[in-house]
């Protein structure tokens, strides 16, 4: 497997790519939507809600947590996850700025 050479890209480009990668799997999108819907969650609930095996859900949670979109707290033998509101605002701002770019190119040229 080759290296990504992420160091040749700007911090903004790397941030957008990391966000896109996390959102690039429908299970992660479903997890985020579920967390917004109920405002907190125990991992076992996600297994029932999403319909994937516990290890698979755990791997997706790990990726979401690595980006910082979710945070978790230990409650006995369970971990309760929720959306990190500050990080979510940051992600929204980054993606919104990226998506609101205008080409400035006349559409007749292509």
């Amino acid at each position: 497997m080759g290296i990504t050479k992420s160091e040749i890209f700007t911090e903004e480009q790397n941030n957008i790519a990391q966000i896109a990668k996390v959102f690039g799997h429908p299970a992660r999108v479903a997890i985020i939507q579920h967390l917004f819907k109920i405002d907190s969650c125990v991992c076992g609930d996600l297994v029932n809600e999403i319909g994937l095996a516990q290890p698979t859900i755990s791997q997706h949670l790990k990726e979401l947590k690595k980006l910082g979109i979710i945070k978790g707290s230990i409650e006995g033998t369970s971990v309760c996850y929720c959306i990190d509101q500050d990080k979510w605002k940051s992600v929204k701002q980054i993606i919104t700025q990226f998506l609101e770019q205008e080409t400035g190119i006349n559409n007749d040229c292509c």
Side-chain angles (χ1 to χ4, degrees):
M1 182 173 3
I3 61 172
T4 61
K5 296 190 178 183
S6 60
E7 68 275 355
I8 67 171
F9 301 103
T10 67
E11 182 178 351
E12 177 188 29
Q13 290 165 337
N14 280 296
N15 284 341
I16 292 168
Q18 289 170 346
I19 293 166
K21 181 180 178 183
V22 168
F23 288 155
H25 196 288
R28 294 183 198 136
V29 173
I31 289 168
I32 291 168
Q33 289 175 323
H34 184 67
L35 290 175
F36 269 115
K37 184 171 73 175
I38 65 167
D39 203 25
S40 69
C41 187
V42 175
C43 190
D45 292 344
L46 285 171
V47 171
N48 296 331
E49 179 70 23
I50 307 296
L52 298 173
Q54 175 65 51
T56 305
I57 293 290
S58 293
Q59 184 62 38
H60 289 302
L61 289 168
K62 179 182 172 186
E63 292 300 317
L64 291 167
K65 197 168 181 178
K66 187 165 75 173
L67 185 61
I69 291 176
I70 65 170
K71 56 186 176 180
S73 60
I74 298 172
E75 296 178 2
T77 59
S78 299
V79 180
C80 182
Y81 291 99
C82 64
I83 302 292
D84 184 317
Q85 295 297 326
D86 292 334
K87 182 64 177 186
W88 185 254
K89 287 177 187 174
S90 172
V91 166
K92 276 177 51 175
Q93 181 180 16
I94 291 166
I95 295 300
T96 299
Q97 286 175 347
F98 178 67
L99 293 176
E100 287 184 342
Q101 297 179 90
E102 297 295 330
T103 63
I105 298 173
N106 183 344
N107 287 334
D108 295 336
C109 74
C110 295

